[in-house]
Each structure stands twice: as C-alpha cells, then as structure tokens.
Amino acid sequence: KVAIMYKKKKFLAVITARERSKRLKNKNILKIKKKTLIERSYLEAKKSKFIDNIILSTESKKIIKIAKKFNLHTPYIRPKKLSKDNVGADKVILHAAEKFKKNYDFIILLQPTSPLRQHIDIDLCIKKILKKKLTSITSIYKSKKKNKFMIDILKTGNIRRLNKQSDKKKNNYYLNGAIYITKISDYLKKKELLTKKTGFFIMPENRSIDIDLKQDYLKAKKIIEKNEKK
C-alpha cells in the first residue's frame, strides 16, 4: 500500500486483538456479513490516504491464521503478559511503539470492536493532529444517553476524563474507542494514550458503537447489514 505522505510524517496503524474476551466470547473474530471485526477494521484502514502500514498485535495463533487470509501482517507475537484482562491498550501500544520507533512518527490504535469507524474518520483525525500540532488525539461522540467513559472538553481544546456523570448538560461527550493517534516520541515518555494535551475528533453517535456486550454486536450488525444493502 502506497500512502500519500502527509506533512512528511509516517503513520503506523495497529489493530489490537486478543483471543479471550471477558464479556463477549471471541468478540474480535465475530462476523458481520461474512467478515470478522478484525477484517472490517483492516479494510477501512487500507482505504486511508495517509496510513503507511497496518499491523496486527495479538498473542493468538488462531487470530494470526485468520488475519493471514486477508493479508493482515503480524510482525511479532504479543507476549502473554500483555494479553491479560487487566492490561490496558496503553501497554499494548507502548510495546508496538518501542518496536517501530525508528520507522514511524505516529501510531494509530484501531480496535476491532469499533466496526462502524470509517477511513474518512481516520484521515480527518490525522489531518487534525498535524494541523493543530497535537501530540495525541482520540475520537469522541455526543449523546443524550448516559454512558461510561465520559469526558469534558476544555477551553484549551483538549479533553479530560470525568469520573462522575454530569447531569448539568443535556448532551454529554464520551470516548468511543474507535481511534487513538499518538506521536511515538512523546508516547515513549508519557506512556499514556490520554494525556492533558490530548485533542479530540467528534464522530456521529450512530457510528460510535463499541462492541463489549452481545446487544452492542447485534446493534452494529443491524446497522452494517442495512448500510451494505445500499
């Protein structure tokens, strides 16, 4: 894949997928219209104008085998200690960043559990992180429904996580887990995807489903089946 080098920066996308999932069994390899969630993330990332390379980070031989069928490359096997329930995405991305720090400027985390994310969302995030000279950016959405991962948009244009739900506003903002982009050199120092200087990109609520439970999967499946009929 030949990407357009945007502002002379190189971007590595990492699709993270471990085999065991706590709430919804094998969620990363669930299928919607004959494509696994991993393949759906890969195909959208491939459409991006600016991503230079897409890799898979997994500890699972089974998932590696599945990914090979649609040419998603797995350059290393993720250590088992980084594939436990209590290990956050921060550490998984740090592991990839350390391996590729000489080859890329930015790393993009794409979780398969966001199958409604589109390549245009990724490219607009890339444009914003460079235009605003941010060290990291993440996708968020606005909703009247209460949800976890609530955030506040600060006057500086950055975001911060809120521990308590706010009832003050009719609409609140939430992380949707679809896109995280971080500058590798900065990330190796801070080791966190969300910092005080993280910017945001707003995605529509109907594309912000993060599959964690069976009802999330069924909801996403219904939307995709309806959209792909067109």
Side-chain angles (χ1 to χ4, degrees), residues 48-216:
S48 159
K49 283 190 229 163
F50 312 125
I51 292 174
D52 297 275
N53 193 10
I54 309 157
I55 64 163
L56 174 69
S57 169
T58 186
E59 84 299 351
S60 161
K61 285 177 183 169
K62 181 183 176 182
I63 288 178
I64 290 170
K65 210 172 168 183
I66 290 166
K68 252 186 189 165
K69 289 176 187 170
F70 49 86
N71 299 321
L72 173 54
H73 181 49
T74 314
Y76 57 84
I77 293 174
R78 196 199 303 174
K80 288 269 193 285
K81 64 176 183 181
L82 291 179
S83 304
K84 292 175 182 171
D85 283 337
N86 59 351
V87 176
D90 294 43
K91 286 181 181 168
V92 176
I93 288 301
L94 183 64
H95 181 246
E98 282 168 345
K99 286 187 176 294
F100 290 98
K101 60 188 173 190
K102 288 176 185 169
N103 310 84
Y104 300 94
D105 302 289
F106 288 86
I107 200 162
I108 306 170
L109 164 62
L110 299 175
Q111 301 181 101
T113 45
S114 298
L116 297 159
R117 171 214 309 112
Q118 294 178 0
H119 65 281
I120 187 75
D121 301 317
I122 301 168
D123 284 351
L124 288 171
C125 260
I126 289 173
K127 282 186 167 184
K128 189 171 180 179
I129 199 170
L130 295 179
K131 193 180 174 187
K132 299 276 183 189
K133 296 185 169 74
L134 299 166
T135 50
S136 61
I137 194 168
T138 187
S139 53
I140 65 170
Y141 71 104
K142 195 177 183 181
S143 180
K144 287 177 182 170
K145 293 174 195 162
K146 289 273 177 277
N147 210 328
K148 51 186 178 175
F149 309 129
M150 190 172 175
I151 56 133
D152 196 13
I153 294 176
L154 307 173
K155 284 176 184 172
T156 55
N158 304 114
I159 58 165
R160 64 167 180 173
R161 281 286 296 271
L162 292 174
N163 297 322
K164 289 181 181 174
Q165 291 282 9
S166 161
D167 294 313
K168 289 175 193 169
K169 303 170 195 166
K170 280 183 182 172
N171 287 301
N172 290 313
Y173 289 97
Y174 301 91
L175 298 171
N176 69 0
I179 305 163
Y180 293 89
I181 307 179
T182 184
K183 191 176 184 179
I184 293 176
S185 56
D186 190 75
Y187 191 65
L188 293 171
K189 290 175 207 154
K190 293 188 180 144
K191 300 176 169 55
E192 286 179 338
L193 287 168
L194 294 180
T195 70
K196 288 175 184 173
K197 291 183 177 177
T198 298
F200 64 90
F201 170 72
I202 301 173
M203 277 174 61
E205 187 176 3
N206 65 350
R207 291 216 309 273
S208 292
I209 295 170
D210 178 19
I211 296 173
D212 193 29
L213 304 165
K214 194 176 179 184
Q215 66 246 38
D216 305 324

Side-chain angles (χ1 to χ4, degrees), residues 23-25 27 30 209-221:
R23 292 184 188 90
L24 184 59
K25 201 181 173 190
K27 65 180 178 183
L30 287 174
I209 295 170
D210 178 19
I211 296 173
D212 193 29
L213 304 165
K214 194 176 179 184
Q215 66 246 38
D216 305 324
Y217 166 65
L218 294 173
K219 199 174 168 186
K221 188 171 181 277

Side-chain angles (χ1 to χ4, degrees), residues 29-40 43 66 69-70 217 221 224-225 228:
I29 51 174
L30 287 174
K31 287 184 177 182
I32 298 177
K33 291 202 84 180
K34 296 181 181 175
K35 293 186 190 100
T36 62
L37 298 186
I38 298 170
E39 186 175 0
R40 288 191 165 272
L43 292 173
I66 290 166
K69 289 176 187 170
F70 49 86
Y217 166 65
K221 188 171 181 277
I224 288 168
E225 283 172 350
E228 291 185 4

